[in-house]
PDB file of all heavy atoms in Angstrom:
ATOM      1  N   VAL A  95       6.134   1.684  11.577  1.00  0.00           N
ATOM      2  CA  VAL A  95       6.516   1.084  12.853  1.00  0.00           C
ATOM      3  C   VAL A  95       7.557   0.013  12.580  1.00  0.00           C
ATOM      4  O   VAL A  95       7.321  -0.902  11.782  1.00  0.00           O
ATOM      5  CB  VAL A  95       5.298   0.493  13.592  1.00  0.00           C
ATOM      6  CG1 VAL A  95       5.738  -0.269  14.841  1.00  0.00           C
ATOM      7  CG2 VAL A  95       4.317   1.597  13.973  1.00  0.00           C
ATOM      8  N   GLU A  96       8.697   0.151  13.236  1.00  0.00           N
ATOM      9  CA  GLU A  96       9.791  -0.811  13.086  1.00  0.00           C
ATOM     10  C   GLU A  96       9.880  -1.675  14.337  1.00  0.00           C
ATOM     11  O   GLU A  96       9.940  -1.148  15.450  1.00  0.00           O
ATOM     12  CB  GLU A  96      11.113  -0.081  12.862  1.00  0.00           C
ATOM     13  CG  GLU A  96      11.157   0.772  11.599  1.00  0.00           C
ATOM     14  CD  GLU A  96      12.430   1.586  11.487  1.00  0.00           C
ATOM     15  OE1 GLU A  96      13.081   1.795  12.543  1.00  0.00           O
ATOM     16  OE2 GLU A  96      12.786   2.011  10.370  1.00  0.00           O
ATOM     17  N   THR A  97       9.876  -2.993  14.146  1.00  0.00           N
ATOM     18  CA  THR A  97      10.020  -3.945  15.236  1.00  0.00           C
ATOM     19  C   THR A  97      11.021  -5.018  14.812  1.00  0.00           C
ATOM     20  O   THR A  97      11.419  -5.069  13.640  1.00  0.00           O
ATOM     21  CB  THR A  97       8.675  -4.614  15.586  1.00  0.00           C
ATOM     22  OG1 THR A  97       8.321  -5.530  14.539  1.00  0.00           O
ATOM     23  CG2 THR A  97       7.563  -3.582  15.750  1.00  0.00           C
ATOM     24  N   PRO A  98      11.438  -5.904  15.733  1.00  0.00           N
ATOM     25  CA  PRO A  98      12.329  -6.995  15.324  1.00  0.00           C
ATOM     26  C   PRO A  98      11.744  -7.880  14.228  1.00  0.00           C
ATOM     27  O   PRO A  98      12.486  -8.538  13.495  1.00  0.00           O
ATOM     28  CB  PRO A  98      12.534  -7.776  16.628  1.00  0.00           C
ATOM     29  CG  PRO A  98      12.355  -6.759  17.701  1.00  0.00           C
ATOM     30  CD  PRO A  98      11.284  -5.843  17.195  1.00  0.00           C
ATOM     31  N   ALA A  99      10.408  -7.902  14.098  1.00  0.00           N
ATOM     32  CA  ALA A  99       9.765  -8.711  13.054  1.00  0.00           C
ATOM     33  C   ALA A  99       9.783  -8.022  11.702  1.00  0.00           C
ATOM     34  O   ALA A  99       9.422  -8.634  10.693  1.00  0.00           O
ATOM     35  CB  ALA A  99       8.325  -9.032  13.450  1.00  0.00           C
ATOM     36  N   GLY A 100      10.181  -6.742  11.653  1.00  0.00           N
ATOM     37  CA  GLY A 100      10.213  -6.008  10.391  1.00  0.00           C
ATOM     38  C   GLY A 100       9.426  -4.716  10.486  1.00  0.00           C
ATOM     39  O   GLY A 100       8.774  -4.430  11.497  1.00  0.00           O
ATOM     40  N   ALA A 101       9.485  -3.932   9.429  1.00  0.00           N
ATOM     41  CA  ALA A 101       8.796  -2.640   9.377  1.00  0.00           C
ATOM     42  C   ALA A 101       7.495  -2.781   8.600  1.00  0.00           C
ATOM     43  O   ALA A 101       7.408  -3.526   7.626  1.00  0.00           O
ATOM     44  CB  ALA A 101       9.683  -1.588   8.725  1.00  0.00           C
ATOM     45  N   SER A 102       6.476  -2.051   9.045  1.00  0.00           N
ATOM     46  CA  SER A 102       5.211  -1.975   8.319  1.00  0.00           C
ATOM     47  C   SER A 102       4.724  -0.537   8.377  1.00  0.00           C
ATOM     48  O   SER A 102       5.088   0.218   9.284  1.00  0.00           O
ATOM     49  CB  SER A 102       4.166  -2.936   8.902  1.00  0.00           C
ATOM     50  OG  SER A 102       3.946  -2.679  10.277  1.00  0.00           O
ATOM     51  N   TRP A 103       3.873  -0.139   7.403  1.00  0.00           N
ATOM     52  CA  TRP A 103       3.480   1.260   7.298  1.00  0.00           C
ATOM     53  C   TRP A 103       2.008   1.414   6.955  1.00  0.00           C
ATOM     54  O   TRP A 103       1.368   0.488   6.462  1.00  0.00           O
ATOM     55  CB  TRP A 103       4.355   1.998   6.269  1.00  0.00           C
ATOM     56  CG  TRP A 103       4.385   1.374   4.901  1.00  0.00           C
ATOM     57  CD1 TRP A 103       5.345   0.525   4.413  1.00  0.00           C
ATOM     58  CD2 TRP A 103       3.444   1.556   3.833  1.00  0.00           C
ATOM     59  NE1 TRP A 103       5.052   0.158   3.123  1.00  0.00           N
ATOM     60  CE2 TRP A 103       3.899   0.773   2.730  1.00  0.00           C
ATOM     61  CE3 TRP A 103       2.272   2.290   3.697  1.00  0.00           C
ATOM     62  CZ2 TRP A 103       3.203   0.728   1.524  1.00  0.00           C
ATOM     63  CZ3 TRP A 103       1.571   2.238   2.493  1.00  0.00           C
ATOM     64  CH2 TRP A 103       2.051   1.464   1.425  1.00  0.00           C
ATOM     65  N   ARG A 104       1.520   2.610   7.220  1.00  0.00           N
ATOM     66  CA  ARG A 104       0.177   3.031   6.837  1.00  0.00           C
ATOM     67  C   ARG A 104       0.222   4.500   6.447  1.00  0.00           C
ATOM     68  O   ARG A 104       1.089   5.238   6.899  1.00  0.00           O
ATOM     69  CB  ARG A 104      -0.824   2.870   7.999  1.00  0.00           C
ATOM     70  CG  ARG A 104      -1.202   1.457   8.363  1.00  0.00           C
ATOM     71  CD  ARG A 104      -2.275   1.484   9.445  1.00  0.00           C
ATOM     72  NE  ARG A 104      -2.836   0.154   9.683  1.00  0.00           N
ATOM     73  CZ  ARG A 104      -2.441  -0.652  10.647  1.00  0.00           C
ATOM     74  NH1 ARG A 104      -1.495  -0.267  11.481  1.00  0.00           N
ATOM     75  NH2 ARG A 104      -2.989  -1.837  10.801  1.00  0.00           N
ATOM     76  N   ILE A 105      -0.741   4.925   5.648  1.00  0.00           N
ATOM     77  CA  ILE A 105      -0.966   6.343   5.394  1.00  0.00           C
ATOM     78  C   ILE A 105      -2.016   6.820   6.398  1.00  0.00           C
ATOM     79  O   ILE A 105      -3.104   6.243   6.476  1.00  0.00           O
ATOM     80  CB  ILE A 105      -1.437   6.601   3.954  1.00  0.00           C
ATOM     81  CG1 ILE A 105      -0.392   6.063   2.957  1.00  0.00           C
ATOM     82  CG2 ILE A 105      -1.683   8.085   3.722  1.00  0.00           C
ATOM     83  CD1 ILE A 105       0.951   6.754   3.043  1.00  0.00           C
ATOM     84  N   VAL A 106      -1.701   7.859   7.168  1.00  0.00           N
ATOM     85  CA  VAL A 106      -2.585   8.305   8.235  1.00  0.00           C
ATOM     86  C   VAL A 106      -2.823   9.810   8.135  1.00  0.00           C
ATOM     87  O   VAL A 106      -2.047  10.544   7.529  1.00  0.00           O
ATOM     88  CB  VAL A 106      -1.994   7.971   9.631  1.00  0.00           C
ATOM     89  CG1 VAL A 106      -1.807   6.470   9.790  1.00  0.00           C
ATOM     90  CG2 VAL A 106      -0.671   8.707   9.847  1.00  0.00           C
ATOM     91  N   THR A 107      -3.906  10.244   8.753  1.00  0.00           N
ATOM     92  CA  THR A 107      -4.141  11.669   8.976  1.00  0.00           C
ATOM     93  C   THR A 107      -3.973  11.937  10.464  1.00  0.00           C
ATOM     94  O   THR A 107      -4.357  11.115  11.308  1.00  0.00           O
ATOM     95  CB  THR A 107      -5.544  12.100   8.534  1.00  0.00           C
ATOM     96  OG1 THR A 107      -6.531  11.290   9.197  1.00  0.00           O
ATOM     97  CG2 THR A 107      -5.709  11.924   7.029  1.00  0.00           C
ATOM     98  N   VAL A 108      -3.363  13.068  10.779  1.00  0.00           N
ATOM     99  CA  VAL A 108      -3.168  13.460  12.173  1.00  0.00           C
ATOM    100  C   VAL A 108      -4.418  14.212  12.627  1.00  0.00           C
ATOM    101  O   VAL A 108      -4.709  15.300  12.137  1.00  0.00           O
ATOM    102  CB  VAL A 108      -1.914  14.331  12.339  1.00  0.00           C
ATOM    103  CG1 VAL A 108      -1.733  14.721  13.807  1.00  0.00           C
ATOM    104  CG2 VAL A 108      -0.679  13.585  11.838  1.00  0.00           C
ATOM    105  N   GLU A 109      -5.159  13.625  13.560  1.00  0.00           N
ATOM    106  CA  GLU A 109      -6.399  14.218  14.028  1.00  0.00           C
ATOM    107  C   GLU A 109      -6.163  15.251  15.120  1.00  0.00           C
ATOM    108  O   GLU A 109      -6.831  16.281  15.175  1.00  0.00           O
ATOM    109  CB  GLU A 109      -7.338  13.122  14.549  1.00  0.00           C
ATOM    110  CG  GLU A 109      -7.699  12.078  13.501  1.00  0.00           C
ATOM    111  CD  GLU A 109      -8.438  12.681  12.320  1.00  0.00           C
ATOM    112  OE1 GLU A 109      -9.502  13.292  12.545  1.00  0.00           O
ATOM    113  OE2 GLU A 109      -7.948  12.544  11.184  1.00  0.00           O
ATOM    114  N   LYS A 110      -5.190  14.974  16.002  1.00  0.00           N
ATOM    115  CA  LYS A 110      -4.998  15.867  17.138  1.00  0.00           C
ATOM    116  C   LYS A 110      -3.651  15.586  17.799  1.00  0.00           C
ATOM    117  O   LYS A 110      -3.227  14.436  17.894  1.00  0.00           O
ATOM    118  CB  LYS A 110      -6.133  15.666  18.156  1.00  0.00           C
ATOM    119  CG  LYS A 110      -6.174  16.673  19.287  1.00  0.00           C
ATOM    120  CD  LYS A 110      -7.380  16.390  20.189  1.00  0.00           C
ATOM    121  CE  LYS A 110      -7.477  17.391  21.318  1.00  0.00           C
ATOM    122  NZ  LYS A 110      -8.622  17.100  22.223  1.00  0.00           N
ATOM    123  N   VAL A 111      -2.977  16.647  18.250  1.00  0.00           N
ATOM    124  CA  VAL A 111      -1.771  16.541  19.063  1.00  0.00           C
ATOM    125  C   VAL A 111      -2.048  17.258  20.380  1.00  0.00           C
ATOM    126  O   VAL A 111      -2.294  18.469  20.389  1.00  0.00           O
ATOM    127  CB  VAL A 111      -0.553  17.157  18.357  1.00  0.00           C
ATOM    128  CG1 VAL A 111       0.674  17.085  19.267  1.00  0.00           C
ATOM    129  CG2 VAL A 111      -0.266  16.438  17.044  1.00  0.00           C
ATOM    130  N   THR A 112      -2.028  16.514  21.494  1.00  0.00           N
ATOM    131  CA  THR A 112      -2.410  17.064  22.787  1.00  0.00           C
ATOM    132  C   THR A 112      -1.240  16.994  23.755  1.00  0.00           C
ATOM    133  O   THR A 112      -0.822  15.895  24.153  1.00  0.00           O
ATOM    134  CB  THR A 112      -3.597  16.294  23.384  1.00  0.00           C
ATOM    135  OG1 THR A 112      -4.660  16.239  22.442  1.00  0.00           O
ATOM    136  CG2 THR A 112      -4.083  16.950  24.662  1.00  0.00           C
TER     137      THR A 112
END
Side-chain angles (χ1 to χ4, degrees):
V95 173
E96 298 174 339
T97 72
S102 57
W103 55 263
R104 289 185 171 97
I105 302 297
V106 299
T107 55
V108 180
E109 300 298 302
K110 189 178 181 182
V111 177
T112 307

